[in-house]
Amino acid sequence: MVSEHSHPPAVIRIGIIGLGFMGATHVRAWGKVSGARIAALCNPSGRHLDGDFSGVSGNVGGKEPVRLNMEALTAYRDYAAMLADPDVDAIDICTPTHTHLDLALAAFAAGKHVICEKPMARTSIEASQICDAAQKAGRVLMPAMCLRFWPEWAWLKEAVSGGGYGKVLSARFTRIAEPPGWGRSVFLGGARSGGGLRDLHIHDTDFVNYLFGPPLSVQSHGYSLLSGCIDHVVTRYEVACGAMVHAEGG
């Protein structure tokens, strides 16, 4: 969503808020994007504002240490100050889920574009508020649903869309992992993270929609184990092409 009168700069200047594992992952990813550069970092706690993420680890991405040269970057502990920076065009939100709504609304009010880690919001109502704010501001909003861009998943999308292997008869997606070793105070609090259903299963929900289009119906069964919300779920999708589609996440 972009205003018809806006003229994007030759290089999009990114301000990242949230410098934990996902922040470090995004730092690594932005380094591979031509036409974009990181201009600012923000973390209210002050951690990693020196650009050194070598002690940050997680379950995706490379293992090489991430260190930024801070000479051309501005470090902020105050989010409002980063939003006021005219040298920042877009905000990359890598903070816990329960903070996404307020951070995104503030970014749009400041005239910034937004890329937001998944899940974009804790509820559909909050997600709609973010979308409405983007539209009113005439700014770009992108939920960071990364699977669509990973090579093996991009290949699958192309293979299904191209039809070279024939009609899809069935598809099964499984995403089961141990509870994360980082950020347990957030991830294991379902009221804030959404539990395994929203934080994990959302990847396959998005990819099923991407692959087959909006489902005609959805039937899910799940249970709570750790977070107080649904942590393990099995979903059956009825899709327009008639394929049997199941996804399990937990």
Side-chain angles (χ1 to χ4, degrees), residues 3-24:
S3 168
E4 61 180 330
H5 302 297
S6 63
H7 299 283
V11 175
I12 300 294
R13 299 163 298 183
I14 309 298
I16 301 177
I17 178 157
L19 304 181
F21 166 56
M22 287 316 305

Side-chain angles (χ1 to χ4, degrees), residues 40 46 60 69 76 81 116 134 148-150 167 174 227-228:
V60 295
N69 182 347
Y76 293 99
C116 184
R148 296 186 180 204
F149 304 98
W150 289 7
K167 179 182 177 181
T174 303
S227 73

Side-chain angles (χ1 to χ4, degrees), residues 74-126:
T74 306
Y76 293 99
R77 294 187 69 162
D78 182 358
Y79 182 56
M82 185 170 75
L83 291 181
D85 187 342
D87 292 326
V88 173
D89 303 306
I91 300 298
D92 185 355
I93 299 174
C94 297
T95 56
T97 301
H98 68 280
T99 67
H100 291 178
L101 175 64
D102 290 342
L103 295 176
L105 295 184
F108 289 129
K112 310 296 186 184
H113 304 290
V114 169
I115 178 170
C116 184
E117 248 308 312
K118 61 82 202 165
M120 188 171 72
R122 181 62 179 78
T123 68
S124 59
I125 293 175
E126 290 185 355

